[in-house]
Amino acid sequence: MKIWGRANSINVMKVLWCADECGLKYEREDVGGAFGGNDQKWYLDMNPNGVVPTIDVGGRIIWESNSAVRYLAAKHAAGTLWPTDPGLRSEADRWMDWQLSTIGEPMRLAFWGLIRTPPEKRDMAAIGKAAAEAGKLFGRLDGWLEGRRYVSGDQFTMGDIPVGCFIHRWYALEIERPDLKNVRAWYERLTTRPAYARHVMIKLT
C-alpha cells in the first residue's frame, strides 16, 4: 500500500492511524502543503480533488480520508474496526459523518487561526467564536459518550478515528474549553493506543 500525503495533515493522520491499527505495511510520500505536488497532473489523475490523502491498495485508488478509513477497516478489520452488525456500524458511520458535517468547520477555523496564521494577522474574535462553537458541539459527543467507552459502545471502531484526530487538536490548542468529563475520559483512552500517539499526538503545525 502507498499513501500520498504529508504527516501533519489531519486527514492523512486518520489513514495512518487506521493502517497501523490494521497492522498494515505501507509506504508514505509527502504531498501537499509545503511539499506541493497535489496540483500536478500525475496526482490529479488519481485524485481530481487535488487534496490529501490518496491511497493505492493493490492498484485500487481511494481518496477522501473517511472513505479510505472505511475501506481499510472493512477489508482488514471486519468485526473489530469495521463492525459487522449494521446497527453498531451505523453508530460508527454517523460519528464519521458528524466529523465532516458538523465539527470539522469550527475546528478548522480555530486551528488555522491559531496555528497556521501569523500572530499579527489572527482574528481572535473569530477564533474565539469558533472555539466556543466547537465546545458546544463536543458537548453533544459528551452526552452520547455517557455510559460508553467509545462512540459505538465498548469497542474501539473506525468511528473513533476521525473525531479522535480532532479531539487531540481540541485539547492541544490554547483555547478555553468546557469541562466535558466523558469526552476527556474517551480522549485519555485513545492516548493509550500506540498508533494514536505515533500519528495524531504530534506537534501542531
Side-chain angles (χ1 to χ4, degrees):
M1 183 168 74
K2 184 162 184 176
I3 302 170
W4 287 270
R6 52 192 167 81
N8 67 340
S9 160
I10 200 165
N11 290 322
V12 177
M13 290 176 189
K14 298 174 193 176
V15 175
L16 295 174
W17 179 12
C18 182
D20 277 16
E21 293 284 357
C22 292
L24 301 176
K25 295 181 179 180
Y26 53 84
E27 173 190 354
R28 184 183 64 81
E29 181 177 332
D30 281 318
V31 170
F35 300 98
N38 53 312
D39 60 348
Q40 301 298 307
K41 184 178 184 304
W42 67 270
Y43 191 83
L44 294 172
D45 284 346
M46 293 190 297
N47 182 343
N49 286 316
V51 295
V52 294
T54 298
I55 68 174
D56 181 339
V57 187
R60 179 175 292 279
I61 302 297
I62 302 167
W63 40 268
E64 288 301 313
S65 57
N66 287 6
S67 293
V69 168
R70 286 185 173 100
Y71 175 83
L72 294 178
K75 183 176 177 64
H76 299 286
T80 54
L81 284 186
W82 191 79
T84 51
D85 176 81
L88 290 178
R89 191 165 66 249
S90 75
E91 294 179 359
D93 278 331
R94 77 181 66 162
W95 288 104
M96 296 177 78
D97 291 344
W98 184 80
Q99 177 268 302
L100 293 173
S101 68
T102 305
I103 198 64
E105 183 61 10
M107 283 298 298
R108 183 190 69 82
L109 292 172
F111 172 77
W112 274 84
L114 287 172
I115 303 300
R116 295 187 178 166
T117 302
E120 67 277 9
K121 295 184 179 180
R122 290 174 186 165
D123 183 340
M124 297 308 298
I127 292 168
K129 181 178 179 181
E133 177 65 14
K136 291 178 182 178
L137 294 172
F138 277 128
R140 299 177 187 175
L141 176 61
D142 193 71
W144 174 256
L145 287 170
E146 182 69 36
R148 296 178 175 86
R149 290 178 55 79
Y150 299 100
V151 301
S152 292
D154 290 333
Q155 180 175 295
F156 174 81
T157 69
M158 65 182 183
D160 296 283
I161 290 177
V163 187
C165 289
F166 278 79
I167 205 62
H168 173 68
R169 286 191 172 180
W170 169 244
Y171 282 114
L173 288 171
E174 293 186 6
I175 54 176
E176 292 188 13
R177 288 176 292 272
D179 182 18
L180 303 174
K181 65 180 182 66
N182 297 318
V183 166
R184 168 60 79 171
W186 170 67
Y187 173 62
E188 290 177 354
R189 283 189 282 275
L190 296 182
T191 66
T192 67
R193 307 188 74 85
Y196 188 72
R198 183 179 307 115
H199 297 298
V200 183
M201 299 179 68
I202 61 177
K203 182 179 178 181
L204 301 185
T205 57

